[in-house]
Amino acid sequence: MRAGNVPAAERAAQRLSLEAGLPPNAVVFNTLIRGYCKLGMWGQARAMQVLQDMRAAGCKPGVDTYTPLLEAAAEALGEEEPRQAISLVTDLP
């Protein structure tokens, strides 16, 4: 993922899950979320979907999950809107 190819990293994680029976853990999900958040608006939308996938897989989101989401939301909304950025994350199901 150092090359920035987050979709390829996600496909590799999916392949490991399907072919080797190794489901992604919190570290994998957090890495994908952090990578997608760095890709701008499209990536942030995909990061939110990865968060949903994380929850569906039974992994509990934590500080390492929410930090990149909050940072990306704050950057997208501007420094004047920190409450709005926080509400984007706290209003999640």
Side-chain angles (χ1 to χ4, degrees):
M1 185 135 110
R2 288 185 184 190
N5 195 343
V6 185
E10 185 173 10
R11 286 190 302 274
Q14 290 169 343
R15 225 176 13 258
L16 278 172
S17 181
L18 294 173
E19 296 174 9
L22 297 170
N25 60 19
V27 173
V28 172
F29 284 117
N30 290 338
T31 301
L32 293 172
I33 288 170
R34 186 172 39 260
Y36 277 124
C37 282
K38 291 180 180 181
L39 294 179
M41 291 304 287
W42 172 86
Q44 292 166 14
R46 183 66 193 127
M48 297 300 283
Q49 182 58 51
V50 172
L51 175 62
Q52 298 293 344
D53 296 345
M54 179 181 194
R55 289 182 169 144
C59 291
K60 185 177 179 184
V63 172
D64 291 334
T65 308
Y66 291 116
T67 298
L69 292 168
L70 281 169
E71 288 172 347
E75 184 176 320
L77 295 170
E79 294 297 324
E80 300 82 40
E81 300 296 334
R83 287 191 183 132
Q84 194 174 3
I86 292 169
S87 73
L88 287 174
V89 176
T90 57
D91 290 343
L92 296 172

